[in-house]
Every structure is written in C-alpha cells, then in structure tokens.
Amino acid sequence: MKLMSKLFWLAVMGFFMTTAMAKDERGSTAEAQALVKKGIAHIKKVGKEKAFADFNDASNKDFHDRDLYLFVYDMNGISLSHGANPKMIGKNLLDLKVEGKPIIKEMIAALKTKNDGWIDYQWPNPVTKGLETKSSYFEKNDDYFLGCGAYK
C-alpha cells in the first residue's frame, strides 16, 4: 500500500511540474506588451530598416522568445515585418479575416481613437503549429504599428 501511495504522489507531483513547465513555455500578455515597447525603442535606436530585419530574424532572441514575436503593419494594412511568417511581409492584409474577424482592420480602427489596444483572435502558434487563441497588444508608432501576442 505504501508503494502505491508513493507512486500516486509522484504522479501527482509530476503532473503539476509538467503543467507549470508548460505554462513557462508560453509568453504572457505582460511579456508581449513589453516586447512591443522594446521593439519601439529598438526602432528609435537603429532605424526602421535594421529593426524590421532584426524582428524578422528568428535567430534573434532579443525579439523572439518562445512563442512571442513582433509583427509590424502600416496603417493601410501592409505587413512591414513578421517574426513568425516572412511570407506575409510586403502583402496588403487589410482584409485578412480569421474565422470571419478582420483582425488587421480592427487594429487599425482602434488606433484611430487611441495609441494602443488589445485584440483576441485565433492564430497559428509557431511552437505548437496549432490554431490557438491569441491576445495581442498593439501600439502605433509614426505611420505604422507594432504588435505581439500571447497564446492562451
């Protein structure tokens, strides 16, 4: 009986440790917001061209942390930088809809009334490759905006 009890408690402890580790493998909304602020500071320091290249470079750990990465769009919906999918860069994604939700259009609309905001939507997680709910913080900077989201 003692052996069964020990095995049970080891299994319980293993479950909670695995759950805690899995949670640490995901970025938080606070970390996403901080990464946007860091990105804006980087643009001011090195300029748009160099900063956008840094954001696009998946090996640059300053702007890629677990499932966190930056994306940048101009106010017309053109992708200027995308840390998880370089194929999106240069494309007008204003009318992009995810499950019927025009996410870029909604971000731009929100930025017409204030300098930043949050939006929830479904998006492929670059780590798990699955479609997951993502809460993204976005902030306007000049004539474009930066965003970063945390998967829930």
Side-chain angles (χ1 to χ4, degrees):
M1 190 66 169
K2 286 184 181 182
L3 178 61
M4 292 298 282
S5 179
K6 284 182 183 180
L7 288 174
F8 171 77
W9 285 111
L10 283 173
V12 169
M13 287 174 48
F15 170 78
F16 285 110
M17 288 175 62
T18 302
T19 302
M21 286 173 43
K23 190 173 187 177
D24 289 342
E25 290 174 7
R26 292 179 177 264
S28 69
T29 53
E31 291 169 320
Q33 187 173 20
L35 192 57
V36 169
K37 304 280 187 194
K38 182 178 180 179
I40 291 171
H42 189 59
I43 291 168
K44 291 178 181 176
K45 181 178 178 183
V46 302
K48 285 193 305 189
E49 187 174 322
K50 169 77 170 113
F52 292 176
D54 290 342
F55 302 161
N56 294 336
D57 180 2
S59 68
N60 186 328
K61 298 305 176 194
D62 287 334
F63 300 104
H64 294 83
D65 179 15
R66 296 161 292 171
D67 56 359
L68 298 175
Y69 58 87
L70 290 171
F71 55 84
V72 183
Y73 290 89
D74 72 12
M75 296 303 286
N76 295 311
I78 296 174
S79 175
L80 303 175
S81 176
H82 201 285
N85 189 347
K87 292 178 183 176
M88 296 175 75
I89 300 169
K91 294 184 178 169
N92 187 328
L93 300 171
L94 183 65
D95 294 319
L96 173 72
K97 290 183 181 176
V98 179
E99 296 188 328
K101 186 175 190 170
I103 58 174
I104 307 303
K105 200 175 271 187
E106 286 188 17
M107 288 186 234
I108 292 170
L111 292 171
K112 289 181 179 177
T113 60
K114 54 189 247 183
N115 200 47
D116 62 0
W118 288 92
I119 186 172
D120 289 348
Y121 54 96
Q122 295 286 306
W123 196 258
N125 183 320
V127 175
T128 68
K129 308 297 184 213
L131 190 64
E132 299 180 26
T133 301
K134 182 176 187 176
S135 185
S136 287
Y137 173 76
F138 52 95
E139 185 172 328
K140 189 173 181 187
N141 188 56
D142 294 330
D143 58 347
Y144 55 92
F145 63 96
L146 285 77
C148 181
Y151 294 89
K152 296 181 176 189

